Amino acid sequence: MPLILPDRLANVFIAYFVTGAWQSNCYLIADEDAGLAVAIDVGMDAAQTVEELLAQRDFQLAGILLTHGHIDHCAQAAVLADAHQAPVWVHPADRELMTHPAEGLSPQMAGQLHQLIGDAPLHEPGDLRTFEAGVPVRCAGFEFSVTPAPGHTPGSVLLGLEGDEHMIFFTGDVLFAGSIGRSDFPGGDDHTMRAVLRDVVSTLPPQARVLPGHGPFTTVADELATNPYLTDAYLEVQS
């Protein structure tokens, strides 16, 4: 069942649910006054639940944003977007993964993927747009900051949403509660990931809320205090 998050931004509806074999978080953010919604990371088996949420709340889907191109975060983005004639945004470096997902996975996970989805070809959404460096995405009345954060994948980004008192970052597989995303998949890079953690993640506002691609929510302050991958000892290695 989707969980509605405590109100962190005025007049903003935020819900999430866990989906697919790899337990990825999918989010729905909506302006309750305008009735327009944005979905973030529509992965495996996510489309039906998003549709149910839209219907229950009488929201119109205005767009989909992807934190990166791994299949567990984008598998049903095209299907959902095309059903609503909505655009999908992804970083250009991860665009190829939307139609060739095995290229971003280990051989073992690629085999698991074949068992899950078979040989059915994947297609891009009819309206696919790519993030531009330093250019925010405006959709459904929201303005999302887009911060490149490669290392897990070349096209990983942090999506920021600012309110009157709070900042929320959708971190995909860059930052988790107590951990970080893997950098040993094809396209990943450990040195780049460490640089992003040091130069980008560690400089985010401490009070910001972190809504990751897997697992529970956290804050930047909590991660700076407790996450072993944000310590000087870890970040100085190979820096």
Side-chain angles (χ1 to χ4, degrees), residues 5-111:
L5 305 187
D7 189 12
R8 294 277 173 173
L9 303 172
N11 299 319
V12 176
F13 170 90
I14 304 179
Y16 92 105
F17 58 97
V18 179
T19 182
W22 293 325
Q23 298 289 281
S24 303
N25 293 339
C26 177
Y27 299 94
L28 188 72
I29 304 97
D31 181 327
E32 293 192 294
D33 294 332
L36 298 175
V38 179
I40 294 180
D41 285 358
V42 181
M44 296 177 179
D45 306 321
Q48 180 176 343
T49 304
V50 173
E51 292 281 21
E52 291 171 356
L53 274 170
L54 293 172
Q56 289 169 8
R57 296 278 173 163
D58 196 25
F59 292 149
Q60 177 183 346
L61 184 68
I64 296 173
L65 279 64
L66 303 177
T67 62
H68 63 295
H70 277 160
I71 188 69
D72 55 326
H73 296 264
C74 72
Q76 293 196 325
V79 171
L80 183 65
D82 288 352
H84 292 266
Q85 296 183 317
V88 176
W89 280 268
V90 68
H91 191 283
D94 278 10
R95 179 174 182 170
E96 186 73 11
L97 296 180
M98 296 187 68
T99 51
H100 297 83
E103 293 182 4
L105 301 175
S106 67
Q108 179 183 7
M109 294 188 73

